[in-house]
mmCIF file of all heavy atoms in Angstrom:
data_model
loop_
_atom_site.group_PDB
_atom_site.id
_atom_site.type_symbol
_atom_site.label_atom_id
_atom_site.label_comp_id
_atom_site.label_asym_id
_atom_site.label_seq_id
_atom_site.Cartn_x
_atom_site.Cartn_y
_atom_site.Cartn_z
ATOM 1 N N MET A 27 -45.812 88.250 -53.563
ATOM 2 C CA MET A 27 -46.288 89.207 -52.612
ATOM 3 C C MET A 27 -45.280 89.427 -51.472
ATOM 4 O O MET A 27 -44.586 88.432 -50.988
ATOM 5 C CB MET A 27 -47.638 88.696 -52.041
ATOM 6 C CG MET A 27 -48.769 88.781 -52.990
ATOM 7 S SD MET A 27 -50.342 88.122 -52.221
ATOM 8 C CE MET A 27 -50.532 89.285 -50.814
ATOM 9 N N LYS A 28 -45.161 90.649 -51.030
ATOM 10 C CA LYS A 28 -44.179 90.892 -49.890
ATOM 11 C C LYS A 28 -44.559 90.192 -48.651
ATOM 12 O O LYS A 28 -43.620 90.020 -47.727
ATOM 13 C CB LYS A 28 -44.053 92.494 -49.741
ATOM 14 C CG LYS A 28 -43.427 93.162 -50.902
ATOM 15 C CD LYS A 28 -43.249 94.546 -50.634
ATOM 16 C CE LYS A 28 -42.611 95.293 -51.815
ATOM 17 N NZ LYS A 28 -42.453 96.821 -51.641
ATOM 18 N N THR A 29 -45.733 89.906 -48.411
ATOM 19 C CA THR A 29 -46.243 89.242 -47.237
ATOM 20 C C THR A 29 -46.061 87.804 -47.262
ATOM 21 O O THR A 29 -46.470 87.046 -46.269
ATOM 22 C CB THR A 29 -47.580 89.645 -46.845
ATOM 23 O OG1 THR A 29 -48.464 89.257 -47.997
ATOM 24 C CG2 THR A 29 -47.724 91.114 -46.558
ATOM 25 N N SER A 30 -45.490 87.227 -48.349
ATOM 26 C CA SER A 30 -45.465 85.774 -48.657
ATOM 27 C C SER A 30 -44.474 85.144 -47.578
ATOM 28 O O SER A 30 -43.266 85.394 -47.567
ATOM 29 C CB SER A 30 -44.970 85.456 -50.061
ATOM 30 O OG SER A 30 -44.654 84.051 -50.187
ATOM 31 N N VAL A 31 -45.000 84.227 -46.848
ATOM 32 C CA VAL A 31 -44.131 83.483 -45.811
ATOM 33 C C VAL A 31 -43.154 82.646 -46.551
ATOM 34 O O VAL A 31 -41.961 82.392 -46.275
ATOM 35 C CB VAL A 31 -45.062 82.644 -44.889
ATOM 36 C CG1 VAL A 31 -44.181 81.784 -44.028
ATOM 37 C CG2 VAL A 31 -45.915 83.580 -44.047
ATOM 38 N N GLU A 32 -43.695 82.104 -47.806
ATOM 39 C CA GLU A 32 -42.766 81.189 -48.577
ATOM 40 C C GLU A 32 -41.670 81.906 -49.121
ATOM 41 O O GLU A 32 -40.469 81.460 -49.129
ATOM 42 C CB GLU A 32 -43.636 80.598 -49.691
ATOM 43 C CG GLU A 32 -44.677 79.565 -49.294
ATOM 44 C CD GLU A 32 -46.029 80.189 -48.828
ATOM 45 O OE1 GLU A 32 -46.104 81.527 -48.955
ATOM 46 O OE2 GLU A 32 -46.894 79.558 -48.448
ATOM 47 N N ARG A 33 -41.859 83.146 -49.540
ATOM 48 C CA ARG A 33 -40.730 83.958 -50.059
ATOM 49 C C ARG A 33 -39.724 84.215 -48.920
ATOM 50 O O ARG A 33 -38.512 84.218 -49.190
ATOM 51 C CB ARG A 33 -41.224 85.313 -50.641
ATOM 52 C CG ARG A 33 -40.008 86.220 -51.139
ATOM 53 C CD ARG A 33 -40.537 87.572 -51.443
ATOM 54 N NE ARG A 33 -41.236 88.225 -50.395
ATOM 55 C CZ ARG A 33 -40.514 88.737 -49.259
ATOM 56 N NH1 ARG A 33 -39.223 88.531 -49.268
ATOM 57 N NH2 ARG A 33 -41.193 89.312 -48.395
ATOM 58 N N GLN A 34 -40.168 84.617 -47.803
ATOM 59 C CA GLN A 34 -39.343 84.921 -46.636
ATOM 60 C C GLN A 34 -38.533 83.709 -46.319
ATOM 61 O O GLN A 34 -37.211 83.791 -46.051
ATOM 62 C CB GLN A 34 -40.155 85.354 -45.477
ATOM 63 C CG GLN A 34 -40.850 86.664 -45.640
ATOM 64 C CD GLN A 34 -41.858 87.046 -44.516
ATOM 65 O OE1 GLN A 34 -42.118 86.192 -43.732
ATOM 66 N NE2 GLN A 34 -42.409 88.215 -44.566
ATOM 67 N N LYS A 35 -39.117 82.478 -46.279
ATOM 68 C CA LYS A 35 -38.393 81.272 -45.956
ATOM 69 C C LYS A 35 -37.358 80.954 -47.083
ATOM 70 O O LYS A 35 -36.151 80.430 -46.743
ATOM 71 C CB LYS A 35 -39.261 80.055 -45.762
ATOM 72 C CG LYS A 35 -40.049 80.252 -44.456
ATOM 73 C CD LYS A 35 -40.926 78.906 -44.188
ATOM 74 C CE LYS A 35 -41.617 79.010 -42.829
ATOM 75 N NZ LYS A 35 -42.441 77.819 -42.573
ATOM 76 N N LEU A 36 -37.709 81.179 -48.310
ATOM 77 C CA LEU A 36 -36.817 80.875 -49.416
ATOM 78 C C LEU A 36 -35.591 81.752 -49.364
ATOM 79 O O LEU A 36 -34.490 81.340 -49.453
ATOM 80 C CB LEU A 36 -37.547 81.077 -50.763
ATOM 81 C CG LEU A 36 -36.755 81.292 -51.990
ATOM 82 C CD1 LEU A 36 -35.936 80.015 -52.272
ATOM 83 C CD2 LEU A 36 -37.607 81.639 -53.200
ATOM 84 N N GLU A 37 -35.859 83.098 -49.148
ATOM 85 C CA GLU A 37 -34.616 84.015 -48.990
ATOM 86 C C GLU A 37 -33.817 83.744 -47.822
ATOM 87 O O GLU A 37 -32.621 83.834 -47.921
ATOM 88 C CB GLU A 37 -35.187 85.474 -48.981
ATOM 89 C CG GLU A 37 -35.850 85.851 -50.308
ATOM 90 C CD GLU A 37 -36.481 87.227 -50.229
ATOM 91 O OE1 GLU A 37 -36.628 87.811 -49.259
ATOM 92 O OE2 GLU A 37 -36.882 87.748 -51.366
ATOM 93 N N SER A 38 -34.384 83.375 -46.679
ATOM 94 C CA SER A 38 -33.641 83.169 -45.487
ATOM 95 C C SER A 38 -32.885 81.918 -45.514
ATOM 96 O O SER A 38 -31.639 81.859 -45.285
ATOM 97 C CB SER A 38 -34.573 83.229 -44.273
ATOM 98 O OG SER A 38 -33.843 82.872 -43.105
ATOM 99 N N LYS A 39 -33.559 80.787 -45.877
ATOM 100 C CA LYS A 39 -33.015 79.496 -45.691
ATOM 101 C C LYS A 39 -32.176 78.904 -46.881
ATOM 102 O O LYS A 39 -31.326 78.132 -46.795
ATOM 103 C CB LYS A 39 -34.063 78.443 -45.441
ATOM 104 C CG LYS A 39 -34.890 78.750 -44.112
ATOM 105 C CD LYS A 39 -33.974 78.597 -42.922
ATOM 106 C CE LYS A 39 -34.911 78.858 -41.637
ATOM 107 N NZ LYS A 39 -34.039 78.826 -40.437
ATOM 108 N N LEU A 40 -32.435 79.495 -48.069
ATOM 109 C CA LEU A 40 -31.768 79.158 -49.314
ATOM 110 C C LEU A 40 -30.817 80.221 -49.728
ATOM 111 O O LEU A 40 -29.602 80.108 -49.763
ATOM 112 C CB LEU A 40 -32.736 78.780 -50.407
ATOM 113 C CG LEU A 40 -32.165 78.158 -51.630
ATOM 114 C CD1 LEU A 40 -31.338 76.880 -51.430
ATOM 115 C CD2 LEU A 40 -33.195 77.972 -52.767
ATOM 116 N N LEU A 41 -31.390 81.386 -50.208
ATOM 117 C CA LEU A 41 -30.524 82.422 -50.776
ATOM 118 C C LEU A 41 -29.523 83.052 -49.750
ATOM 119 O O LEU A 41 -28.417 83.230 -50.039
ATOM 120 C CB LEU A 41 -31.487 83.518 -51.422
ATOM 121 C CG LEU A 41 -32.465 83.093 -52.355
ATOM 122 C CD1 LEU A 41 -33.160 84.347 -53.014
ATOM 123 C CD2 LEU A 41 -31.874 82.251 -53.397
ATOM 124 N N GLY A 42 -30.062 83.215 -48.492
ATOM 125 C CA GLY A 42 -29.216 83.718 -47.413
ATOM 126 C C GLY A 42 -28.013 82.787 -47.149
ATOM 127 O O GLY A 42 -26.905 83.256 -46.894
ATOM 128 N N GLU A 43 -28.382 81.564 -47.197
ATOM 129 C CA GLU A 43 -27.267 80.546 -46.887
ATOM 130 C C GLU A 43 -26.246 80.460 -48.007
ATOM 131 O O GLU A 43 -25.027 80.324 -47.833
ATOM 132 C CB GLU A 43 -27.829 79.143 -46.635
ATOM 133 C CG GLU A 43 -28.626 78.990 -45.339
ATOM 134 C CD GLU A 43 -27.717 79.286 -44.152
ATOM 135 O OE1 GLU A 43 -26.688 78.747 -44.022
ATOM 136 O OE2 GLU A 43 -28.140 80.140 -43.298
ATOM 137 N N GLN A 44 -26.760 80.686 -49.250
ATOM 138 C CA GLN A 44 -25.847 80.697 -50.426
ATOM 139 C C GLN A 44 -24.908 81.873 -50.312
ATOM 140 O O GLN A 44 -23.711 81.748 -50.525
ATOM 141 C CB GLN A 44 -26.638 80.825 -51.726
ATOM 142 C CG GLN A 44 -27.415 79.510 -52.083
ATOM 143 C CD GLN A 44 -28.261 79.635 -53.288
ATOM 144 O OE1 GLN A 44 -28.355 80.718 -53.914
ATOM 145 N NE2 GLN A 44 -28.940 78.588 -53.758
ATOM 146 N N ILE A 45 -25.437 83.147 -49.960
ATOM 147 C CA ILE A 45 -24.651 84.225 -49.791
ATOM 148 C C ILE A 45 -23.677 84.123 -48.785
ATOM 149 O O ILE A 45 -22.456 84.476 -48.923
ATOM 150 C CB ILE A 45 -25.613 85.493 -49.599
ATOM 151 C CG1 ILE A 45 -26.428 85.795 -50.895
ATOM 152 C CG2 ILE A 45 -24.797 86.692 -49.233
ATOM 153 C CD1 ILE A 45 -27.588 86.690 -50.558
ATOM 154 N N LYS A 46 -24.058 83.579 -47.589
ATOM 155 C CA LYS A 46 -23.185 83.325 -46.514
ATOM 156 C C LYS A 46 -22.012 82.406 -46.994
ATOM 157 O O LYS A 46 -20.769 82.675 -46.572
ATOM 158 C CB LYS A 46 -23.838 82.635 -45.429
ATOM 159 C CG LYS A 46 -23.115 82.625 -44.084
ATOM 160 C CD LYS A 46 -23.831 81.827 -43.011
ATOM 161 C CE LYS A 46 -25.096 82.438 -42.661
ATOM 162 N NZ LYS A 46 -25.921 81.663 -41.602
ATOM 163 N N ASN A 47 -22.266 81.358 -47.766
ATOM 164 C CA ASN A 47 -21.189 80.489 -48.182
ATOM 165 C C ASN A 47 -20.175 81.210 -49.133
ATOM 166 O O ASN A 47 -19.004 81.059 -49.038
ATOM 167 C CB ASN A 47 -21.805 79.278 -48.888
ATOM 168 C CG ASN A 47 -20.806 78.122 -49.290
ATOM 169 O OD1 ASN A 47 -20.295 78.169 -50.289
ATOM 170 N ND2 ASN A 47 -20.488 77.417 -48.190
ATOM 171 N N ILE A 48 -20.757 82.061 -50.007
ATOM 172 C CA ILE A 48 -19.972 82.848 -50.996
ATOM 173 C C ILE A 48 -18.984 83.796 -50.277
ATOM 174 O O ILE A 48 -17.832 83.906 -50.604
ATOM 175 C CB ILE A 48 -20.814 83.576 -52.016
ATOM 176 C CG1 ILE A 48 -21.557 82.588 -52.894
ATOM 177 C CG2 ILE A 48 -20.005 84.486 -52.853
ATOM 178 C CD1 ILE A 48 -22.771 83.173 -53.696
ATOM 179 N N ILE A 49 -19.453 84.476 -49.226
ATOM 180 C CA ILE A 49 -18.796 85.515 -48.558
ATOM 181 C C ILE A 49 -17.961 85.202 -47.488
ATOM 182 O O ILE A 49 -16.804 85.488 -47.251
ATOM 183 C CB ILE A 49 -19.736 86.653 -48.162
ATOM 184 C CG1 ILE A 49 -20.591 87.125 -49.376
ATOM 185 C CG2 ILE A 49 -19.049 87.885 -47.506
ATOM 186 C CD1 ILE A 49 -19.757 87.696 -50.481
ATOM 187 N N ALA A 50 -18.587 84.256 -46.672
ATOM 188 C CA ALA A 50 -17.948 83.905 -45.399
ATOM 189 C C ALA A 50 -16.982 82.707 -45.380
ATOM 190 O O ALA A 50 -16.128 82.596 -44.473
ATOM 191 C CB ALA A 50 -18.986 83.647 -44.220
ATOM 192 N N CYS A 51 -17.012 81.849 -46.357
ATOM 193 C CA CYS A 51 -16.275 80.577 -46.381
ATOM 194 C C CYS A 51 -15.157 80.682 -47.422
ATOM 195 O O CYS A 51 -15.159 81.363 -48.359
ATOM 196 C CB CYS A 51 -17.238 79.409 -46.669
ATOM 197 S SG CYS A 51 -18.558 79.221 -45.436
ATOM 198 N N GLU A 52 -14.150 79.872 -47.159
ATOM 199 C CA GLU A 52 -13.058 79.701 -48.013
ATOM 200 C C GLU A 52 -12.684 78.232 -48.042
ATOM 201 O O GLU A 52 -13.190 77.390 -47.319
ATOM 202 C CB GLU A 52 -11.830 80.512 -47.563
ATOM 203 C CG GLU A 52 -12.097 82.049 -47.540
ATOM 204 C CD GLU A 52 -12.183 82.661 -48.936
ATOM 205 O OE1 GLU A 52 -11.979 81.898 -49.945
ATOM 206 O OE2 GLU A 52 -12.519 83.803 -48.862
ATOM 207 N N GLY A 53 -11.760 77.870 -48.971
ATOM 208 C CA GLY A 53 -11.361 76.577 -49.137
ATOM 209 C C GLY A 53 -12.450 75.555 -49.446
ATOM 210 O O GLY A 53 -13.323 75.846 -50.158
ATOM 211 N N VAL A 54 -12.318 74.277 -49.008
ATOM 212 C CA VAL A 54 -13.198 73.260 -49.342
ATOM 213 C C VAL A 54 -14.620 73.565 -48.784
ATOM 214 O O VAL A 54 -15.601 73.027 -49.220
ATOM 215 C CB VAL A 54 -12.655 71.913 -48.833
ATOM 216 C CG1 VAL A 54 -12.818 71.843 -47.265
ATOM 217 C CG2 VAL A 54 -13.471 70.738 -49.508
ATOM 218 N N ASP A 55 -14.750 74.511 -47.830
ATOM 219 C CA ASP A 55 -16.072 74.765 -47.219
ATOM 220 C C ASP A 55 -16.823 75.761 -48.255
ATOM 221 O O ASP A 55 -18.154 75.739 -48.093
ATOM 222 C CB ASP A 55 -15.922 75.531 -45.900
ATOM 223 C CG ASP A 55 -15.407 74.566 -44.826
ATOM 224 O OD1 ASP A 55 -15.565 73.433 -44.882
ATOM 225 O OD2 ASP A 55 -14.751 75.159 -43.904
ATOM 226 N N ARG A 56 -16.238 76.380 -49.084
ATOM 227 C CA ARG A 56 -16.956 77.228 -50.001
ATOM 228 C C ARG A 56 -17.482 76.417 -51.230
ATOM 229 O O ARG A 56 -16.734 76.245 -52.212
ATOM 230 C CB ARG A 56 -16.075 78.438 -50.445
ATOM 231 C CG ARG A 56 -16.782 79.379 -51.418
ATOM 232 C CD ARG A 56 -16.065 80.735 -51.342
ATOM 233 N NE ARG A 56 -14.654 80.685 -51.656
ATOM 234 C CZ ARG A 56 -14.175 80.846 -52.845
ATOM 235 N NH1 ARG A 56 -14.961 80.902 -53.920
ATOM 236 N NH2 ARG A 56 -12.857 80.805 -53.045
ATOM 237 N N LYS A 57 -18.690 76.081 -51.222
ATOM 238 C CA LYS A 57 -19.316 75.209 -52.256
ATOM 239 C C LYS A 57 -19.865 75.964 -53.344
ATOM 240 O O LYS A 57 -20.033 75.536 -54.479
ATOM 241 C CB LYS A 57 -20.358 74.296 -51.657
ATOM 242 C CG LYS A 57 -19.941 73.394 -50.447
ATOM 243 C CD LYS A 57 -19.000 72.311 -51.026
ATOM 244 C CE LYS A 57 -18.666 71.422 -49.882
ATOM 245 N NZ LYS A 57 -17.677 70.413 -50.248
ATOM 246 N N GLU A 58 -20.338 77.158 -53.097
ATOM 247 C CA GLU A 58 -20.910 78.048 -54.130
ATOM 248 C C GLU A 58 -19.912 78.727 -55.073
ATOM 249 O O GLU A 58 -19.619 79.909 -54.934
ATOM 250 C CB GLU A 58 -21.918 79.073 -53.410
ATOM 251 C CG GLU A 58 -22.892 78.510 -52.548
ATOM 252 C CD GLU A 58 -23.972 77.659 -53.303
ATOM 253 O OE1 GLU A 58 -24.198 77.945 -54.478
ATOM 254 O OE2 GLU A 58 -24.545 76.790 -52.643
ATOM 255 N N ARG A 59 -19.380 78.008 -55.936
ATOM 256 C CA ARG A 59 -18.326 78.401 -56.794
ATOM 257 C C ARG A 59 -18.784 78.517 -58.265
ATOM 258 O O ARG A 59 -18.243 77.703 -59.204
ATOM 259 C CB ARG A 59 -17.086 77.429 -56.656
ATOM 260 C CG ARG A 59 -16.487 77.489 -55.312
ATOM 261 C CD ARG A 59 -15.497 76.403 -55.197
ATOM 262 N NE ARG A 59 -14.600 76.545 -53.912
ATOM 263 C CZ ARG A 59 -13.531 77.120 -53.884
ATOM 264 N NH1 ARG A 59 -12.980 77.590 -54.965
ATOM 265 N NH2 ARG A 59 -12.888 77.221 -52.650
ATOM 266 N N HIS A 60 -19.710 79.288 -58.566
ATOM 267 C CA HIS A 60 -20.326 79.377 -59.845
ATOM 268 C C HIS A 60 -19.441 79.927 -60.892
ATOM 269 O O HIS A 60 -18.638 80.855 -60.619
ATOM 270 C CB HIS A 60 -21.665 80.204 -59.745
ATOM 271 C CG HIS A 60 -22.595 79.627 -58.691
ATOM 272 N ND1 HIS A 60 -23.338 78.511 -58.849
ATOM 273 C CD2 HIS A 60 -22.838 80.173 -57.526
ATOM 274 C CE1 HIS A 60 -24.026 78.307 -57.804
ATOM 275 N NE2 HIS A 60 -23.738 79.315 -56.976
#
C-alpha cells in the first residue's frame, strides 16, 4: 500500500542509502559493488 509507513522507511533507510552509496561514494567507501 502506498500509505504503508513500513514501505516508506524501507525505501528511505535501506534503498535510499544503497543508491547514495552507489552514486555518491568512491574507493573503499563504495560498498554496493554488485
Side-chain angles (χ1 to χ4, degrees):
M27 291 180 60
K28 291 184 179 180
T29 56
S30 168
V31 175
E32 292 82 4
R33 177 191 58 73
Q34 292 170 353
K35 288 186 177 179
L36 164 64
E37 292 177 349
S38 172
K39 301 297 183 182
L40 183 65
L41 306 187
E43 291 301 311
Q44 291 175 358
I45 292 167
K46 188 186 298 181
N47 188 263
I48 293 165
I49 304 302
C51 298
E52 296 294 351
V54 72
D55 292 332
R56 181 157 56 89
K57 303 293 185 183
E58 302 296 329
R59 293 171 172 265
H60 306 285

